[in-house]
């Protein structure tokens, strides 16, 4: 099965970027965009209007939370789903961004497998139901 959803992966860690892109492609997502820093990600998000953004927080040029702030100031937050990916536990500034912008999920990289990300993407995009505990 193939999916027409447009997904933007904003990630500066090349192995993680490759793993996400390859796994999403293998899962049937055909329209994948990549950006390697927040500035590039913001431009791509505003130009391409993806259905979902996989957004790293710690990146060069512009961090993920600043990128998310700029998207929201532009009015693009309400139309685009966001899954935050990070190596950081949520501190006060990250929690403020999560409360203010309500991303669909916040995943700590050391605590998930790529298959978990694929499952979350499918849930956020409405392809799969929310799993019951």
């Amino acid at each position: 099965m193939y999916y027409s959803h447009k997904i933007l992966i904003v990630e500066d860690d090349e192995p993680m970027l490759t793993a996400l892109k390859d796994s999403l492609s293998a899962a049937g997502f055909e329209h994948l965009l990549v950006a390697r820093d927040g500035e590039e990600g913001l431009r791509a998000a505003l130009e391409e209007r993806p259905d979902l953004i996989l957004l790293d927080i710690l990146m060069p040029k512009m961090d993920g939370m600043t990128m998310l702030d700029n998207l929201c100031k532009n009015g693009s937050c309400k139309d685009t789903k966001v899954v935050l990916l990070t190596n950081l536990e949520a501190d006060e500034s990250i929690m403020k961004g999560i409360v203010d912008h309500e991303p669909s999920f916040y995943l700590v990289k050391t605590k998930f497998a790529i298959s978990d990300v694929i499952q979350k993407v499918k849930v956020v995009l409405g392809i799969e139901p929310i799993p019951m505990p």
Side-chain angles (χ1 to χ4, degrees), residues 63-74:
D63 65 66
M65 296 311 288
T66 303
M67 181 186 148
L68 188 55
D69 282 341
N70 284 314
L71 275 176
C72 290
K73 287 175 186 170
N74 186 279

Side-chain angles (χ1 to χ4, degrees), residues 28-133:
F29 292 96
E30 296 183 308
H31 199 100
L32 302 173
L33 308 163
V34 298
R36 289 172 175 80
D37 63 59
E39 287 181 359
E40 189 179 324
L42 181 60
R43 276 192 306 276
L46 294 174
E47 289 172 13
E48 297 289 336
R49 302 286 187 192
D51 300 299
L52 181 133
I53 300 172
L54 292 175
L55 181 59
D56 186 16
I57 293 179
L58 289 178
M59 292 183 294
K61 296 185 183 177
M62 179 189 295
D63 65 66
M65 296 311 288
T66 303
M67 181 186 148
L68 188 55
D69 282 341
N70 284 314
L71 275 176
C72 290
K73 287 175 186 170
N74 186 279
S76 298
C77 270
K78 65 181 184 299
D79 299 325
T80 305
K81 307 291 186 198
V82 176
V83 175
L84 293 173
L85 306 173
T86 186
N87 285 321
L88 303 172
E89 295 291 337
D91 65 9
E92 188 175 320
S93 67
I94 292 171
M95 286 307 298
K96 181 182 180 334
I98 290 171
V99 169
D100 290 349
H101 305 306
E102 301 178 2
S104 300
F105 288 101
Y106 173 88
L107 300 171
V108 178
K109 291 178 184 177
T110 57
K111 297 182 179 181
F112 69 80
I114 296 295
S115 60
D116 296 330
V117 177
I118 305 305
Q119 189 267 334
K120 300 292 189 221
V121 165
K122 288 181 177 181
V123 167
V124 170
L125 293 174
I127 295 167
E128 288 185 1
I130 298 171
M132 301 307 279

